[in-house]
Amino acid sequence: MGNSNSASKEAERARQYGGIFVQLNNRVLVPNETVSGTIYLNLVQDYPGSTLYISVLGDERVHFIDRVAKHKKGRNGQRKTYYVDVHRRAHRSILNKSFPVYSWGNGGIIPRGQYSFPFSFLVPQGLPGSMYLCRNRAQGSIAYSMEAYLQPSNSNIPKLGNSMPIIVREAVIQNIQTQQVKKQEKIKTCCCCDRGVVAFSTFFEKNAYAPTETARASAEIDNSQCKNKINDVVFSLEQSIVLRAGAHSKVIRSVIKSQSLGGLEAGESWIGDKLKIASIELPPGQEGSFQHFEDGQEIKDDPNAAGKLIPSSHGGIITSDFFLKMELRMDGCLCCQQYPSATIPIQVYSAALKPIELPQAPQGWNPVVMNPYTFVIQIDPGMMQPNQMMAMNQGMQTSQMPMNQMTTNQMPMNQMPMFQPNQVIPSDFVQGQQMNQAPMMNNPTTMPNYNQPMYGQNMYSTQNPYQQNIQMTNYQQ
């Protein structure tokens, strides 16, 4: 609380010099895309400093509670077991880069006036996606922010700055495609009695989704050679989140949603026009709820995050993975076997951010527009995961553009989006394009008939029930 009050007081002191505001055309950053924005600076008096900076910050934080067994001897000499809560914490910096956008060089004084600084940068590869978790006695976050500020000439001068949260959407998988899983499993019950064979084939419509999209899959099952009935066939979306703190880790597994397709009797089959189609609508995503937690903050479930989908992310101390699963829940005891199932990993994108409230332009807003400034964000290889480094080495540039030089000419108003006097900046300027849906094929409403036998030369149907121009990967599990 003390740090928060100090920052608030410094911001209040800085207002005597004017205001600063940083704006992006899109606050959802996608790797390998160029993002542009503008820093607006309104100084009502000279500021003791010389340089305008823009910084990009990102880090991971983990805090979870372990229940640890302890032992002690009782009065009678017998050993007793008791349990204590042990807090595990970890922090990992992903980005901490600052770039000098402009230097006045006026002997440590920035003259009063109105300024506009357009800038752009390439979003690097290898950044883990933004996410926030607070449940099951655990907290975890991967969060990013951008700040524009004037560096004061001494510590007695308050820093004039403006910070905004940004979302990083993890790199899209290379091939968004339909995937097929086909399997044949021997079923054994108590005392390892052979009950026959069940064969099944599942087409998963695709392997990447955005929040609120519908995931679909087909189930073709031949239970004609099995003496056990199938009590239920269940299609589910599952998630696994792993938090790491040193040598300790916490795994949170959950079934996000599921759909029951019903069961099959022994000797029955779902083949051809009897195959079943399952669908699950993904929950809404964490729109704008990415945040960090304070060290020492009590860990309890966040009611604001309930029912919100935590996206896929692969950081150094936090990973979030999703799976689609078609499971055959067989009748009887299966002798420690798991239920036959078809599973594929999928990617779930982060949701779009809610627009931020934009300030009103000052009276008579007519800024000096500086030359555009371009910078390159370089990621320290030590901050990346091994599977990200190859892509990083192939795609990143290593040079930084030189610092802007002062221009006294004003750019015509029709060439540069900027504040208008006494008006709020239009919301469409800050939002830009948003990915509300993962790239996908046409959603099927009906399925073609299957006329191929499950056994014999064609053991499984090979026709893709979804759009044919999507590449199909055949997973053998």
Coordinates of all heavy atoms in Angstrom, one line a residue, residues 23-59:
Q23 N -0.4 5.9 -27.0 CA -1.6 5.2 -27.6 C -1.0 4.3 -28.7 O -0.1 4.6 -29.5 CB -2.4 6.3 -28.3 CG -3.7 5.8 -28.9 CD -4.5 7.0 -29.5 OE1 -4.0 7.8 -30.1 NE2 -5.8 7.0 -29.2
L24 N -1.6 3.1 -28.7 CA -1.3 2.1 -29.7 C -2.4 1.9 -30.7 O -3.6 2.0 -30.3 CB -0.9 0.7 -29.1 CG 0.4 0.7 -28.3 CD1 0.6 -0.7 -27.7 CD2 1.6 1.0 -29.2
N25 N -2.1 1.5 -31.9 CA -3.2 1.2 -32.8 C -3.9 -0.1 -32.5 O -5.0 -0.4 -32.9 CB -2.8 1.2 -34.3 CG -1.8 0.0 -34.6 OD1 -1.1 -0.5 -33.6 ND2 -1.6 -0.3 -35.8
N26 N -3.2 -1.0 -31.7 CA -3.7 -2.2 -31.3 C -3.0 -2.7 -30.0 O -1.8 -2.9 -30.1 CB -3.7 -3.3 -32.4 CG -4.5 -4.5 -32.0 OD1 -5.0 -4.7 -30.9 ND2 -4.6 -5.4 -33.0
R27 N -3.7 -2.9 -28.9 CA -3.0 -3.3 -27.7 C -2.9 -4.8 -27.6 O -2.4 -5.3 -26.6 CB -3.8 -2.7 -26.5 CG -3.7 -1.2 -26.3 CD -4.2 -0.8 -24.9 NE -5.5 -1.1 -24.7 CZ -6.1 -1.5 -23.6 NH1 -5.3 -1.7 -22.5 NH2 -7.3 -1.8 -23.4
V28 N -3.3 -5.5 -28.5 CA -3.1 -7.0 -28.6 C -2.0 -7.2 -29.6 O -2.1 -7.0 -30.8 CB -4.4 -7.8 -29.0 CG1 -4.1 -9.2 -29.1 CG2 -5.5 -7.5 -28.0
L29 N -0.8 -7.6 -29.1 CA 0.4 -7.8 -29.9 C 0.5 -9.2 -30.4 O 0.4 -10.1 -29.6 CB 1.6 -7.4 -29.1 CG 1.6 -6.0 -28.4 CD1 2.9 -5.7 -27.8 CD2 1.1 -4.9 -29.4
V30 N 0.8 -9.3 -31.7 CA 1.0 -10.6 -32.3 C 2.4 -10.7 -32.8 O 2.9 -9.8 -33.5 CB -0.1 -10.8 -33.4 CG1 0.1 -12.2 -34.1 CG2 -1.5 -10.7 -32.9
P31 N 3.1 -11.8 -32.5 CA 4.5 -11.9 -33.0 C 4.7 -11.8 -34.5 O 3.8 -12.2 -35.3 CB 4.9 -13.4 -32.6 CG 4.0 -13.7 -31.4 CD 2.7 -13.0 -31.7
N32 N 5.7 -11.1 -34.9 CA 6.1 -10.8 -36.2 C 5.2 -9.8 -36.9 O 5.3 -9.6 -38.1 CB 6.1 -12.1 -37.1 CG 7.5 -12.6 -37.2 OD1 8.5 -12.0 -36.8 ND2 7.6 -13.8 -37.8
E33 N 4.4 -9.1 -36.2 CA 3.6 -8.0 -36.7 C 4.1 -6.7 -36.3 O 4.7 -6.5 -35.2 CB 2.1 -8.1 -36.3 CG 1.4 -9.3 -37.0 CD -0.1 -9.2 -36.8 OE1 -0.6 -8.2 -36.1 OE2 -0.8 -10.1 -37.2
T34 N 4.0 -5.7 -37.1 CA 4.5 -4.3 -36.8 C 3.3 -3.5 -36.1 O 2.2 -3.5 -36.6 CB 5.0 -3.6 -38.0 OG1 6.1 -4.3 -38.6 CG2 5.4 -2.2 -37.7
V35 N 3.6 -2.9 -35.0 CA 2.7 -2.2 -34.2 C 3.1 -0.7 -34.3 O 4.3 -0.4 -34.1 CB 2.6 -2.7 -32.8 CG1 1.6 -1.8 -32.0 CG2 2.1 -4.1 -32.7
S36 N 2.2 0.2 -34.5 CA 2.4 1.6 -34.5 C 1.7 2.3 -33.4 O 0.6 1.8 -32.9 CB 2.1 2.2 -35.9 OG 0.7 2.0 -36.2
G37 N 2.1 3.5 -33.0 CA 1.5 4.2 -32.0 C 2.0 5.7 -31.9 O 2.8 6.1 -32.8
T38 N 1.5 6.4 -31.0 CA 1.9 7.8 -30.8 C 2.0 8.2 -29.4 O 1.2 7.7 -28.5 CB 0.8 8.7 -31.5 OG1 0.6 8.3 -32.9 CG2 1.2 10.2 -31.5
I39 N 3.0 9.0 -29.0 CA 3.1 9.5 -27.7 C 2.7 11.0 -27.8 O 3.2 11.8 -28.6 CB 4.5 9.5 -27.2 CG1 5.0 8.0 -27.1 CG2 4.6 10.1 -25.8 CD1 6.5 7.8 -26.8
Y40 N 1.7 11.4 -27.0 CA 1.2 12.8 -27.0 C 1.8 13.5 -25.7 O 1.6 12.9 -24.6 CB -0.3 12.9 -27.0 CG -0.9 12.2 -28.2 CD1 -1.4 11.0 -28.2 CD2 -0.9 12.9 -29.4 CE1 -2.0 10.4 -29.3 CE2 -1.5 12.4 -30.6 CZ -2.0 11.1 -30.5 OH -2.6 10.5 -31.6
L41 N 2.5 14.6 -25.9 CA 3.1 15.3 -24.8 C 2.6 16.8 -24.8 O 2.7 17.5 -25.8 CB 4.6 15.3 -24.9 CG 5.4 16.0 -23.8 CD1 5.1 15.5 -22.4 CD2 6.9 16.0 -24.1
N42 N 2.0 17.2 -23.6 CA 1.5 18.5 -23.5 C 2.2 19.1 -22.2 O 1.8 18.8 -21.1 CB 0.0 18.6 -23.3 CG -0.5 20.0 -23.1 OD1 -0.1 20.9 -23.9 ND2 -1.4 20.1 -22.2
L43 N 3.2 20.0 -22.4 CA 3.9 20.6 -21.3 C 3.4 22.1 -21.1 O 3.5 22.9 -22.1 CB 5.4 20.6 -21.5 CG 6.1 19.3 -21.5 CD1 7.6 19.4 -21.8 CD2 5.9 18.6 -20.2
V44 N 2.9 22.3 -19.9 CA 2.4 23.7 -19.7 C 3.5 24.6 -19.1 O 3.3 25.8 -18.9 CB 1.1 23.6 -18.7 CG1 0.0 22.9 -19.4 CG2 1.5 23.0 -17.4
Q45 N 4.6 23.9 -18.7 CA 5.8 24.7 -18.3 C 7.0 23.9 -18.6 O 6.9 22.7 -18.8 CB 5.7 25.0 -16.8 CG 5.7 23.8 -15.8 CD 5.7 24.2 -14.4 OE1 6.7 24.8 -13.9 NE2 4.7 23.9 -13.6
D46 N 8.2 24.5 -18.6 CA 9.4 23.8 -18.9 C 9.6 22.7 -17.9 O 9.3 22.8 -16.7 CB 10.6 24.8 -18.8 CG 10.6 25.9 -19.9 OD1 9.7 25.7 -20.8 OD2 11.3 26.8 -19.8
Y47 N 10.1 21.6 -18.4 CA 10.4 20.4 -17.6 C 11.9 20.2 -17.4 O 12.6 20.1 -18.4 CB 9.7 19.1 -18.2 CG 9.8 17.9 -17.4 CD1 8.9 17.6 -16.4 CD2 10.8 17.0 -17.6 CE1 9.0 16.5 -15.6 CE2 11.0 15.8 -16.9 CZ 10.1 15.6 -15.8 OH 10.2 14.4 -15.1
P48 N 12.3 20.0 -16.2 CA 13.8 19.7 -15.9 C 14.2 18.3 -16.4 O 14.1 17.3 -15.6 CB 13.9 19.9 -14.4 CG 12.7 20.6 -14.0 CD 11.6 20.1 -14.9
G49 N 14.5 18.1 -17.6 CA 15.0 16.9 -18.2 C 15.4 17.1 -19.6 O 15.4 18.2 -20.1
S50 N 15.7 16.0 -20.3 CA 16.2 16.2 -21.7 C 15.7 15.1 -22.7 O 15.8 15.3 -23.9 CB 17.7 16.2 -21.7 OG 18.3 15.0 -21.2
T51 N 15.2 14.0 -22.2 CA 15.0 12.8 -23.0 C 13.6 12.2 -22.8 O 13.2 12.1 -21.6 CB 16.0 11.8 -22.9 OG1 17.3 12.4 -23.1 CG2 15.9 10.6 -23.9
L52 N 12.9 11.9 -23.9 CA 11.7 11.1 -23.8 C 12.0 9.6 -24.1 O 12.6 9.3 -25.1 CB 10.7 11.6 -24.9 CG 9.4 10.8 -25.1 CD1 8.5 10.9 -23.9 CD2 8.7 11.3 -26.3
Y53 N 11.5 8.8 -23.2 CA 11.7 7.3 -23.4 C 10.4 6.6 -23.5 O 9.3 7.0 -23.1 CB 12.4 6.8 -22.1 CG 13.9 7.1 -22.0 CD1 14.2 8.3 -21.3 CD2 14.9 6.3 -22.5 CE1 15.6 8.6 -21.1 CE2 16.2 6.7 -22.4 CZ 16.6 7.8 -21.7 OH 17.9 8.1 -21.6
I54 N 10.5 5.4 -24.2 CA 9.4 4.5 -24.2 C 10.0 3.1 -23.7 O 11.1 2.7 -24.1 CB 8.7 4.3 -25.6 CG1 7.5 3.5 -25.5 CG2 9.7 3.8 -26.6 CD1 6.6 3.6 -26.7
S55 N 9.3 2.5 -22.8 CA 9.8 1.2 -22.2 C 8.7 0.1 -22.4 O 7.5 0.4 -22.4 CB 10.1 1.4 -20.8 OG 9.0 1.7 -20.0
V56 N 9.2 -1.1 -22.6 CA 8.3 -2.3 -22.7 C 8.7 -3.2 -21.6 O 9.9 -3.6 -21.5 CB 8.4 -2.9 -24.1 CG1 7.4 -4.1 -24.2 CG2 8.2 -1.9 -25.2
L57 N 7.8 -3.6 -20.8 CA 8.0 -4.5 -19.6 C 7.2 -5.7 -19.7 O 6.0 -5.7 -20.2 CB 7.8 -3.8 -18.3 CG 8.4 -2.4 -18.1 CD1 7.9 -1.8 -16.8 CD2 9.9 -2.6 -18.0
G58 N 7.7 -6.8 -19.2 CA 7.0 -8.1 -19.2 C 7.6 -9.0 -18.2 O 8.9 -9.1 -18.1
D59 N 6.8 -9.7 -17.4 CA 7.4 -10.7 -16.4 C 6.3 -11.7 -16.1 O 5.1 -11.6 -16.3 CB 8.0 -10.0 -15.2 CG 6.9 -9.3 -14.4 OD1 5.7 -9.2 -14.8 OD2 7.3 -8.7 -13.3

